[in-house]
Structure formats: structure tokens, C-alpha cells
Amino acid sequence: MCIFCDIIENKIPSKKVYEDENVLAILDISQVTCGHTLVMPKKHFKNILEADEDTACKCISVAQKLARQIVENLDAKGCNILNNCNEIAGQSVDHLHFHIIPRYSENDSIKIAFEESPEQDLDEVLARIRG
Ligand code: 5GP
Ligand code: ZN
């Protein structure tokens, strides 16, 4: 059972921001900021690590268009586009989705902090990533 598949199949109601053959975008029920939107493929994939390239690209393309539309029409100053991938990264619904979170001020109700980790050997990290 997947709650987003149920939304896509209209078994659960949602506020649809955008819909086409492959992608659905809905207002997030929690509205971290006004206009917080979720962009998801209609085909079920757990997350971006598992999705096929075409599906991921279609979602990103819609996310870009909607981010422009949301920022402009809601008079936001910018937005965060987020994808939480796996539980460790905060994924709570196991159906690929991208958050579009409009930003209105530094004090709005989202906090994203990049704190430095202990020093890394960048050459070693690079070698490991390249495999
Ligand atoms: P995640 O934590 O997986 O990145 O994000 C899941 C998001 O889905 C959360 O922001 C949560 O508020 C939203 N969500 C969970 N259930 C529903 C629902 O039934 N309807 C809508 N519109 N959003 C939901
Ligand atoms: Zn699903």
C-alpha cells in the first residue's frame, strides 16, 4: 500500500497543482510554507536511487516549471527544491517525490543547516566516488 499511489488513483483526495500523463503535483498536507508542493511520478518508484532516468527527468522538468510559477504567483523570494532519499535522509513516504518549498523570509518555518563535518581528504573522497 502506498499513500501517494492512492492519491494518484484518486482514492484519496488531494489539491492538484499540476497533472499530466506521467507526473502529478499536489499541495503538501503539512504546508511547511505557503504553497509547499510535492511533485511525483505517476509510476511508483521508492526514490531517486531506484527510479529510471526518464521518470526522474520528467519530475525535475515539472518541478522547475512549477517552482517558477509558485515563486512568481505567491510572491516568494525563492524556494528550496528537496528530495529526501531513504529514511536516514528524512524520507517518510516511500514514493519518489520532490518538495517545492517557497521561501518568504529567513525566519520562515524551515531550517536547513549545512554544518561542517570533520576534515575530509578530498582526493581520497574523489577517488572513492569515482570507484
Ligand atoms: P518526505 O518526508 O517523505 O520527504 O515527505 C513526505 C511528505 O508527504 C510530507 O511533507 C507530508 O506532509 C506529505 N504527506 C503525507 N501524507 C500526505 C497526504 O495524504 N496528502 C498530502 N497532500 N501530503 C501528504
Ligand atoms: Zn506509490
Side-chain angles (χ1 to χ4, degrees), residues 22-23 39-60 83-86 91 94-98:
N22 302 295
V23 180
V39 180
M40 65 190 74
K42 288 191 170 174
K43 192 170 166 190
H44 179 96
F45 289 99
K46 182 185 174 192
N47 58 38
I48 194 144
L49 296 176
E50 297 190 5
D52 64 56
E53 185 181 354
D54 184 53
T55 297
C57 287
K58 282 176 172 143
C59 288
I60 296 280
N83 170 247
N84 298 327
C85 186
N86 283 342
Q91 182 173 12
D94 282 349
H95 181 124
L96 172 62
H97 55 282
F98 296 88

Side-chain angles (χ1 to χ4, degrees), residues 55-102:
T55 297
C57 287
K58 282 176 172 143
C59 288
I60 296 280
S61 172
V62 169
Q64 183 191 35
K65 287 192 193 88
L66 287 182
R68 287 181 174 142
Q69 186 179 335
I70 289 166
V71 166
E72 182 168 337
N73 291 350
L74 295 184
D75 278 329
K77 293 182 179 149
C79 65
N80 293 103
I81 298 179
L82 290 181
N83 170 247
N84 298 327
C85 186
N86 283 342
E87 196 179 348
I88 187 71
Q91 182 173 12
S92 61
V93 176
D94 282 349
H95 181 124
L96 172 62
H97 55 282
F98 296 88
H99 296 255
I100 303 171
I101 305 174

Side-chain angles (χ1 to χ4, degrees), residues 2-64:
C2 169
I3 197 164
F4 285 178
C5 282
D6 284 350
I7 286 173
I8 288 158
E9 289 165 23
N10 292 310
K11 291 180 190 160
I12 296 175
S14 67
K15 302 288 184 195
K16 294 184 185 179
V17 178
Y18 173 90
E19 184 170 21
D20 66 26
E21 195 186 342
N22 302 295
V23 180
L24 176 69
I26 60 171
L27 291 180
D28 192 302
I29 206 159
S30 332
Q31 293 294 285
V32 168
T33 64
C34 173
H36 179 184
T37 295
L38 302 172
V39 180
M40 65 190 74
K42 288 191 170 174
K43 192 170 166 190
H44 179 96
F45 289 99
K46 182 185 174 192
N47 58 38
I48 194 144
L49 296 176
E50 297 190 5
D52 64 56
E53 185 181 354
D54 184 53
T55 297
C57 287
K58 282 176 172 143
C59 288
I60 296 280
S61 172
V62 169
Q64 183 191 35

Side-chain angles (χ1 to χ4, degrees), residues 92-122:
S92 61
V93 176
D94 282 349
H95 181 124
L96 172 62
H97 55 282
F98 296 88
H99 296 255
I100 303 171
I101 305 174
R103 299 301 301 270
Y104 301 94
S105 84
E106 285 170 11
N107 302 319
D108 53 22
S109 41
I110 172 172
K111 296 278 169 287
I112 299 174
F114 290 97
E115 288 167 13
E116 267 186 64
S117 62
E119 202 171 320
Q120 305 281 348
D121 178 337
L122 295 188

